[in-house]
Amino acid sequence: MKFGVMFANVGPMAEPEGAVALAQAAEEAGFESLWTVEHTVVPAGYESAYPYSRDGRMPGPETSPIPDPLIWLTWVAANTTRIRLATGILILPQRNPVVLAKEVATLDHLSGGRVELGIGVGWLKEEFDAIGVPFEERGKRADDHVAALRALWTQEEPTFDGPFTRFERAISRPQPAQGSVPITVGGHSEIAARRAGRLGDGFFPGKGDHQQLAHLFDIVRTTATDHGRDPEAITFTVGGGPKLFGADGLDEVKALADLGVSRIVVPPLAYDPDGQREAFSRFGEEIIAKVS
């Protein structure tokens, strides 16, 4: 089992010192990856419902800093050596895939092949309006952009003709140090699960109990098989719930592993460098060292 830290680029970790402190403490404690969130803008007074809270609002005030995930990860990459650099998630249909391919490949090249690209279609319509991307097209754009990214990362003279992206012999260098970059599809819906089965290297449902996770994982595997893909090659990442931090934490890890989960991500556990170092070290000793 691998373990990551999610919400890595918010709160005090949005600041340069806090970002480095978190990343280094997590790496020292044995965490495998850091996962960043993304919002380019948060329109004041937004009415779209945030799907991961009961009141439909994101945690914290609308003015909370949310650094660009790729730039934040670049800063962290320069101050770490092993920990993987993940977006959890990047809102793919809001991005130009040709530009994004260059940015991600550059980060992967400079970091020695440490990038994991987690992608989602987004939920905040007002943000799409501000960026100028039709909200209703976001799913189709995401599918198009995944294929375009992989073409640019893997082909010698990339050519692609999709519904939203077209290029011919568009050489993009450097290519990723990994050969390509793993793409993990985020989202808690059956549509997201089917997208992961069709296109993803991994699936990261944003919420769900064990029964709901098992249902979504079955959809991923069935969809992969239906599209001629190997379902066993798709990895499953989930967020760690309260059970993980109690007396039965190891039992919870085993239960998730039995569902097919290969990575569990946890929140920062503390919001100051000393607290993070202590909390991560304790988690590393009590959980990571016993199951990894």
Side-chain angles (χ1 to χ4, degrees):
M1 183 69 72
K2 300 173 183 177
F3 293 87
V5 179
M6 60 182 177
F7 306 121
N9 60 328
V10 297
M13 292 82 71
E15 301 302 319
E17 298 83 1
V20 171
L22 170 88
Q24 293 180 345
E27 186 171 72
E28 291 169 6
F31 284 86
E32 173 257 359
S33 52
L34 299 170
W35 293 74
T36 56
V37 296
E38 173 174 53
H39 281 292
T40 302
V41 295
V42 178
Y46 66 87
E47 296 182 358
S48 299
Y50 178 64
Y52 303 111
S53 69
R54 292 183 178 180
D55 64 1
R57 306 294 294 179
M58 288 188 292
E62 295 173 348
T63 54
S64 298
I66 306 175
D68 179 273
L70 297 178
I71 295 177
W72 189 93
L73 289 169
T74 301
W75 170 249
V76 163
N79 288 277
T80 56
T81 59
R82 301 182 308 278
I83 200 159
R84 292 189 66 78
L85 314 163
T87 56
I89 50 83
L90 179 143
I91 307 170
L92 184 57
Q94 293 180 355
R95 299 274 186 149
N96 179 306
V98 179
V99 177
L100 178 64
K102 171 59 69 73
E103 294 170 336
V104 173
T106 300
L107 176 55
D108 194 69
H109 176 76
L110 293 176
S111 67
R114 289 194 275 155
V115 177
E116 302 261 345
L117 186 65
I119 60 104
V121 301
W123 58 272
L124 185 52
K125 181 180 183 301
E126 293 89 338
E127 181 179 25
F128 278 79
D129 293 343
I131 293 172
V133 174
F135 184 71
E136 295 75 15
E137 295 178 346
R138 67 194 190 281
K140 293 179 180 179
R141 283 181 178 271
D143 293 354
D144 169 274
H145 293 2
V146 167
L149 288 170
R150 287 185 172 139
L152 288 159
W153 289 336
T154 62
Q155 296 178 16
E156 288 300 311
E157 296 185 353
T159 295
F160 182 77
D161 186 6
F164 300 100
T165 309
R166 297 176 182 85
F167 47 82
E168 184 174 355
R169 302 182 68 190
I171 298 170
S172 181
R173 298 291 187 277
Q175 290 179 308
Q178 303 174 79
S180 188
V181 173
I183 294 178
T184 291
V185 176
H188 59 282
S189 67
E190 293 187 359
I191 293 174
R194 287 192 289 271
R195 177 170 289 111
R198 287 188 291 106
L199 304 173
D201 300 301
F203 179 49
F204 184 177
K207 61 181 180 180
D209 58 25
H210 288 192
Q211 184 176 359
Q212 292 168 324
L213 292 174
H215 172 65
L216 292 173
F217 293 170
D218 284 344
I219 292 174
V220 173
R221 295 185 182 106
T222 299
T223 304
T225 300
D226 290 344
H227 285 78
R229 306 183 70 216
D230 179 6
E232 298 304 317
I234 300 174
T235 62
F236 295 110
T237 299
V238 300
K243 291 181 180 179
L244 187 65
F245 305 102
D248 299 325
L250 291 175
D251 292 335
E252 174 68 359
V253 173
K254 183 180 184 304
L256 291 171
D258 289 343
L259 292 176
V261 172
S262 59
R263 181 189 291 114
I264 301 171
V265 295
V266 302
L269 302 181
Y271 288 92
D272 65 278
D274 289 339
Q276 286 170 350
R277 190 171 295 106
E278 179 182 352
F280 286 161
S281 177
R282 184 169 59 252
F283 188 88
E285 294 172 358
E286 296 177 355
I287 300 292
I288 297 176
K290 295 180 180 179
V291 300
S292 299

